[in-house]
Amino acid sequence: MDGDLNTERALPRDLMAVDTPALLRLEERAVDLGLSQRLDPAWLRAHAAPDGRHYLRAALWHGLSHRPELPARLRCELVLELRTGEQVLGLLDVLPEEFARLSAVTSRDEGLPVARLLGGGGLRSVREYSGGE
């Protein structure tokens, strides 16, 4: 099943933006569902900019044939704004209906710099930022 997901469904192409409270809700939902790509909500509360703007872009469909109780989900690249002002890269599994409810970035001035960061713009990963925690 997991190998066929990318050919069965079109991948959303929108860049989505979320504030910190919305990102926390997505992360807590991922924890509740036992999804594999997520951040610890306590870490996020400690490090995310309280009034930050974070970005999600769907990278692939993900599903596990050995866990059929979990619905197919989007594995998203996450650009996370930290309290320090730095941006780091993470991954977050999101259910498609939750992804669709997020706000799409429609401004080229806002979206282009994020797209460049996601396209190899030298962002450190959350793990690198955290020193391998």
Side-chain angles (χ1 to χ4, degrees):
M1 171 186 206
D2 41 351
D4 296 333
L5 285 174
N6 284 318
T7 58
E8 290 176 12
R9 292 171 112 166
L11 194 63
R13 289 287 163 210
D14 292 327
L15 175 67
M16 305 304 231
V18 295
D19 61 13
T20 299
L23 181 58
L24 272 165
R25 285 190 297 276
L26 289 172
E27 295 285 2
E28 288 167 350
R29 178 79 167 129
V31 169
D32 290 345
L33 291 172
L35 304 181
S36 56
Q37 291 300 322
R38 64 185 188 266
L39 295 173
D40 177 2
W43 184 93
L44 194 59
R45 279 187 210 88
H47 295 283
D51 57 351
R53 190 155 168 92
H54 318 285
Y55 299 94
L56 291 162
R57 181 176 72 182
L60 58 92
W61 284 101
H62 185 64
L64 300 171
S65 57
H66 67 280
R67 291 194 62 199
E69 75 280 6
L70 291 178
R73 59 215 165 268
L74 293 164
R75 176 145 300 159
C76 297
E77 297 171 302
L78 167 65
V79 176
L80 175 65
E81 183 182 347
L82 302 176
R83 291 176 183 267
T84 62
E86 184 177 359
Q87 292 176 307
V88 294
L89 182 64
L91 295 173
L92 176 59
D93 286 349
V94 179
L95 297 179
E97 60 272 13
E98 292 172 341
F99 186 84
R101 286 193 294 263
L102 302 176
S103 297
V105 173
T106 57
S107 162
R108 184 172 168 81
D109 290 341
E110 181 180 9
L112 244 153
V114 177
R116 284 188 188 115
L117 288 172
L118 289 168
L123 282 180
R124 287 195 301 166
S125 69
V126 169
R127 182 170 293 195
E128 290 168 330
Y129 174 82
S130 300
E133 285 179 14

